[in-house]
Amino acid sequence: MLEGFREQAPDLLLALPGLASIEVDGSRWTSTDSGDTVVLTGPEGTTRWMLRRASGKLSDTAGLGMETSPEWMVCWAVPVTDAGVPQPLTEDVLHAPTPTDERLSLPARLIASLPIEASRRV
């Protein structure tokens, strides 16, 4: 279980801009957010991500299920070099905000507040 938490820590720092650090059983990850770029530092080193975020409020949530919040967020993220050159991902899944089994065909990470059936979560 702790290993699963460790694997998800960097994604949660990307998804939640107000979260600056996560600690799991002695391992620590931090996030430095400068708008379009986030630098994540953790036990495996430092990674830079270029981000595009948007959020808003749904006008009508009828028919969307009990877990649906009227507030939504979406974040596209791609790793970049220190010089800001994108390093496209080769394989990834939708994160809502934790990983699902929905494969993405684009070379970036999508983190979004989408209603997902429990059977679709990894």
Side-chain angles (χ1 to χ4, degrees):
M1 186 184 295
L2 289 176
E3 187 58 34
F5 293 152
R6 284 185 190 95
E7 290 172 6
Q8 293 179 20
D11 295 327
L12 291 174
L13 288 169
L14 290 174
L16 305 169
L19 188 61
S21 68
I22 295 176
E23 189 166 335
V24 178
D25 196 35
S27 297
R28 182 178 171 87
W29 294 261
T30 60
S31 171
T32 306
D33 192 332
S34 62
D36 290 344
T37 304
V38 169
V39 178
L40 300 179
T41 304
E44 288 84 37
T46 299
T47 55
R48 301 173 73 81
W49 292 79
M50 180 175 25
L51 304 181
R52 294 295 180 260
R53 291 183 177 135
S55 61
K57 198 165 203 154
L58 297 173
S59 59
D60 183 13
T61 59
L64 294 179
M66 292 295 291
E67 80 173 52
T68 303
S69 166
E71 296 179 5
W72 59 269
M73 65 73 69
V74 61
C75 174
W76 280 103
V78 64
V80 296
T81 65
D82 289 342
V85 177
Q87 301 295 300
L89 298 173
T90 56
E91 264 187 47
D92 208 356
V93 296
L94 168 67
H95 290 68
T98 57
T100 68
D101 63 355
E102 293 291 330
R103 297 264 172 234
L104 296 178
S105 60
L106 298 172
R109 178 150 305 155
L110 173 60
I111 305 167
S113 57
L114 300 171
I116 300 290
E117 293 181 26
S119 65
R120 304 305 304 230
R121 300 226 180 251
V122 176

